[in-house]
Amino acid sequence: MIDQLPALPVVITMAAAPLVMCLLRWPWLAWATTTAACWAALAATIALLHHVLDVGTVSYAMGGWEPPFGIEYRIDAANVFVLLIIAGVSALIMPFAKRSVESEIEASKIPFFYCAFLLANCGLLGVTATGDAFNIFVFFEIAAIASYALIAMGKDRRAVMASYQYLVMGTVGTTFLLIGIGFLYIMTGTLNLNDLAHRLPEVSDTNTVRAAFAFLAVGVSLKLALFPLHLWLPNAYTYAPSMVTVFLSATATKVAIYVLLRLFYSVFGIEFSFEELSMNYVLFPLALLGILIPSIVAVFQNNAKRMLAYSSVANVGYIILGISFATTLGVMASMLHIFNHAITKAALFMALGCVVYRAGGTSLERMAGMGQRMPWTMAAFVLAGLSLIGIPLTVGFITKWHLILASLETGLWPIAVFLLGTSLLAVIYIWKVVEAAYFREPLAENANVQEAPLSLLVPTWVLTLLCVVFGVYTPFTVGIAETAAETLMGGFL
Amino acid sequence: MDWLGLYNYWVVVILMMAGFYIVIAQGNLVKKIVGLNIFQTSVFIFFISLAKLDGGSAPVYVEGITEYSNPLPHVLILTAIVVGVALTAMGLALVVRVHELYGSIEEDEIHEQDGSD
């Protein structure tokens, strides 16, 4: 059993997807099966996490074909951490999903919806678990096609256009990845990431490898919504159904960031990526602009969901900033923020999902007066909002603290000031929502709005409390992030 | 002469740029999908070209033949073609939905209907 663990999360979700589609007549059963699959995947991931922390890197030969010829699933501290985020978030949103999805999706389409959700989940888990370059491409596409379908199921007709825009940009991104993989294959004759890492140094002084690097970097940057390649993200997150926004905001961009880390640090190696090609000079300014400009844009948004979508782009900037330092501390801050931002954003979007369920929308006018009408929901929003800003005792503070340490370590003290300044921008946009919710009278049609039902409220609070728990009790996340950063910096062994 | 020897790769580059240009420049949603297809197809040709070995035979074991073309990229591209078909289907399905909801598949007309938001 323990030998099969690396494949289990991917296999469970993939096998459950067609099963769910057969349950067309029983939406309730489709939901129950999806929930069971997500929790089973989480259980397998937690077992895998313990196993990896005990014995170190685990290699799994898919179908018994030995790597580097067959597809290898290679799990180390870095990707098991990302697997935990995906499996954890998907398991936690399933109780939330039931009512939220029932209110936003037609009953006849619910089984299809859950099928697409499982496939997206499986794709993201697959990208993270696999140690094969071409496999990364295939799983990226599985996750992407499923998420186009999920986004297009939003109620607003603009959801369909948002999904189309995402499809065009996402396909360009993954096709760039494919070109990059092709170049690497020409030069090395292998697709296994570990094998690539060993063979690349011999041929790294060629334009083919540099071109491969460029295509891979741009392709992954499109997928992870690195500023200025983020244009697909705000619309997609704004118009997607609430549950989809929660899931994608917590996982989709994070997985692409993990792939970027893996490629830059493990496959090409620090010397090639950061010394020869000076990627830090590319990533660093993009990260700073990517934090600053979307934060300013977020301040001027009139729809809370869209505001948080722009804030997601800004937070990708924080993660890339950590990566651009090319130090263990920087990568560790990035790994921490991948986790911390995932739970913070998931909690925030869940709170907004509660508001959508009761008030019918998340424009600031509709959210007016919700502080009194939905006190628990808005309290969760405020608490998670504090974590987004980076107030001490929340996870947001832990990442900003480590980012500041990393910037001081590299002697870039103005970055510390910059981070404080951009946190103030987060204060402004969270405050705009708070101001509308607590200090304005509700719309006439929303005068009788009640608190969200418990099935929505409990998962929201679980994630919100996680933001505080991991903000106070840090050894778990910091420990894994540190091991993960050291693994990534060390390259493959 | 060396330039002519890279004939396949020139085709790839031209198709790739043509496809990419259509994706960027066309306002018609169906034409954008066509552009994406051309763009992806160029990558398929690229993979298949790189598998070819001069004088290499098909990868079937026959006595007396020592050089074979590499079959692995062909297999990869079979997968990538399937992915491409799924993407095209998904894209066209979305265009059908867009046409139902907006009555148009021209990007500027759609944005006009949605206003500045």
Side-chain angles (χ1 to χ4, degrees):
Chain A
M1 185 67 184
I2 205 131
D3 297 338
Q4 306 294 329
L5 270 180
L8 270 185
V10 183
V11 171
I12 292 170
T13 45
M14 189 181 266
L19 192 68
V20 166
M21 213 157 99
C22 297
L23 303 170
L24 257 187
R25 294 250 198 98
W26 305 280
W28 186 86
L29 207 56
W31 171 80
T33 316
T34 313
T35 310
C38 288
W39 281 92
L42 177 63
T45 310
I46 290 174
L48 186 59
L49 174 75
H50 280 288
H51 188 54
V52 169
L53 291 183
D54 276 351
V55 302
T57 308
V58 182
S59 166
Y60 176 82
M62 193 46 97
W65 298 88
E66 286 303 312
F69 306 108
I71 291 169
E72 182 192 18
Y73 276 22
R74 198 181 175 82
I75 314 284
D76 56 24
N79 54 2
V80 80
F81 194 39
V82 182
L83 284 178
L84 181 71
I85 297 169
I86 306 166
V89 170
S90 64
L92 281 176
I93 55 174
M94 281 317 293
F96 173 92
K98 186 161 190 308
R99 287 195 118 173
S100 176
V101 169
E102 275 168 6
S103 75
E104 290 178 40
I105 312 281
E106 283 171 46
S108 63
K109 289 183 187 158
I110 286 179
F112 294 114
F113 178 88
Y114 284 125
C115 175
F117 169 72
L118 277 171
L119 285 175
N121 198 351
C122 156
L124 294 173
L125 289 168
V127 172
T128 315
T130 190
D132 183 276
F134 190 75
N135 219 221
I136 288 182
F137 162 78
V138 174
F139 274 122
F140 252 136
E141 286 291 27
I142 292 176
I145 296 174
S147 36
Y148 306 147
L150 289 173
I151 292 167
M153 283 183 177
K155 262 185 172 173
D156 196 304
R157 66 174 178 179
R158 277 170 287 192
V160 183
M161 267 316 277
S163 170
Y164 181 87
Q165 207 179 8
Y166 183 17
L167 181 135
V168 170
M169 293 188 77
T171 308
V172 172
T174 41
T175 310
F176 269 41
L177 265 181
L178 189 57
I179 302 171
I181 294 168
F183 279 133
L184 288 185
Y185 184 72
I186 296 184
M187 292 311 289
T188 59
T190 180
L191 291 166
N192 184 294
L193 293 182
N194 187 14
D195 209 22
L196 272 173
H198 288 294
R199 290 180 187 219
L200 272 174
E202 280 173 41
V203 290
S204 67
D205 195 27
T206 54
N207 280 335
T208 318
V209 173
R210 288 185 202 111
F213 184 87
F215 274 114
L216 289 169
V218 175
V220 180
S221 300
L222 258 167
K223 295 299 287 183
L224 66 82
L226 175 63
F227 181 86
L229 302 172
H230 67 282
L231 295 171
W232 56 268
L233 188 143
N235 278 331
Y237 284 12
T238 310
Y239 301 119
S242 306
M243 179 245 190
V244 176
T245 310
V246 176
F247 179 65
L248 291 183
S249 70
T251 56
T253 50
K254 311 291 180 297
V255 167
I257 292 169
Y258 157 75
V259 173
L260 185 84
L261 274 166
R262 184 59 91 197
L263 289 174
F264 280 15
Y265 284 96
S266 301
V267 175
F268 286 98
I270 291 184
E271 278 152 37
F272 184 76
S273 309
F274 291 95
E275 281 166 29
E276 201 189 323
L277 292 182
S278 309
M279 273 313 281
N280 40 342
Y281 291 108
V282 180
L283 291 179
F284 187 66
L286 286 181
L288 294 189
L289 286 173
I291 295 169
L292 190 62
I293 296 172
S295 294
I296 294 173
V297 176
V299 170
F300 293 102
Q301 293 305 315
N302 208 18
N303 179 333
K305 223 172 159 188
R306 201 176 175 80
M307 182 185 283
L308 291 183
Y310 274 106
S311 145
S312 277
V313 181
N315 276 283
V316 166
Y318 287 116
I319 301 173
I320 298 296
L321 181 67
I323 296 175
S324 74
F325 290 142
T327 59
T328 312
L329 202 54
V331 174
M332 180 188 149
S334 294
M335 288 305 288
L336 263 179
H337 200 47
I338 289 176
F339 180 84
N340 293 345
H341 181 247
I343 55 175
T344 308
K345 243 333 144 28
L348 282 168
F349 274 123
M350 270 191 184
L352 289 185
C354 298
V355 175
V356 172
Y357 185 76
R358 286 300 193 201
T362 55
S363 63
L364 291 183
E365 295 91 60
R366 278 200 175 274
M367 289 193 72
M370 287 304 136
Q372 287 86 41
R373 297 290 181 284
M374 308 175 72
W376 284 98
T377 306
M378 287 316 295
F381 184 90
V382 172
L383 206 55
L386 291 178
S387 169
L388 189 68
I389 295 163
I391 303 291
L393 297 184
T394 62
V395 287
F397 174 74
I398 306 295
T399 15
K400 296 238 164 105
W401 174 251
H402 282 95
L403 266 179
I404 289 175
L405 285 183
S407 59
L408 291 179
E409 187 198 49
T410 34
L412 292 162
W413 62 266
I415 295 304
V417 182
F418 175 83
L419 288 175
L420 285 176
T422 49
S423 300
L424 289 179
L425 285 170
V427 174
I428 298 174
Y429 55 72
I430 293 296
W431 176 254
K432 274 184 73 176
V433 180
V434 171
E435 194 261 343
Y438 285 93
F439 300 108
R440 280 198 227 156
E441 284 303 307
L443 291 176
E445 56 186 296
N446 281 343
N448 295 322
V449 163
Q450 304 267 309
E451 180 56 82
L454 276 182
S455 63
L456 297 188
L457 212 49
V458 170
T460 311
W461 268 95
V462 168
L463 273 163
T464 311
L465 289 177
L466 281 181
C467 296
V468 180
V469 169
F470 288 122
V472 179
Y473 175 77
T474 53
F476 173 71
T477 45
V478 173
I480 300 186
E482 201 169 4
T483 326
E486 278 161 10
T487 317
L488 285 168
M489 297 292 283
F492 283 112
L493 296 173
Chain B
M1 280 317 284
D2 216 25
W3 293 89
L4 267 177
L6 297 173
Y7 167 76
N8 289 30
Y9 295 93
W10 285 112
V11 173
V12 169
V13 169
I14 291 164
L15 279 180
M16 192 182 285
M17 289 304 113
F20 203 30
Y21 177 77
I22 296 171
V23 174
I24 295 168
Q26 278 294 335
N28 183 307
L29 301 188
V30 174
K31 288 183 184 164
K32 263 184 198 284
I33 300 279
V34 173
L36 268 185
N37 259 312
I38 297 175
F39 180 55
Q40 287 191 312
T41 309
S42 75
V43 182
F44 302 162
I45 299 175
F46 165 66
F47 265 80
I48 293 166
S49 308
L50 70 87
K52 176 70 186 158
L53 186 72
D54 273 340
S57 153
V60 181
Y61 181 73
V62 180
E63 227 165 292
I65 293 178
T66 50
E67 288 185 328
Y68 298 101
S69 288
N70 187 348
L72 184 70
H74 299 161
V75 182
L76 298 181
I77 286 319
L78 272 180
T79 314
I81 288 172
V82 174
V83 170
V85 170
L87 267 169
T88 311
M90 185 70 218
L92 290 176
L94 284 175
V95 176
V96 170
R97 283 292 292 153
V98 168
H99 190 254
E100 279 172 18
L101 293 166
Y102 290 86
S104 165
I105 52 165
E106 293 294 333
E107 215 170 21
D108 40 354
E109 287 172 25
I110 292 164
H111 286 309
E112 233 166 68
Q113 285 189 40
D114 276 339
S116 55
D117 196 35

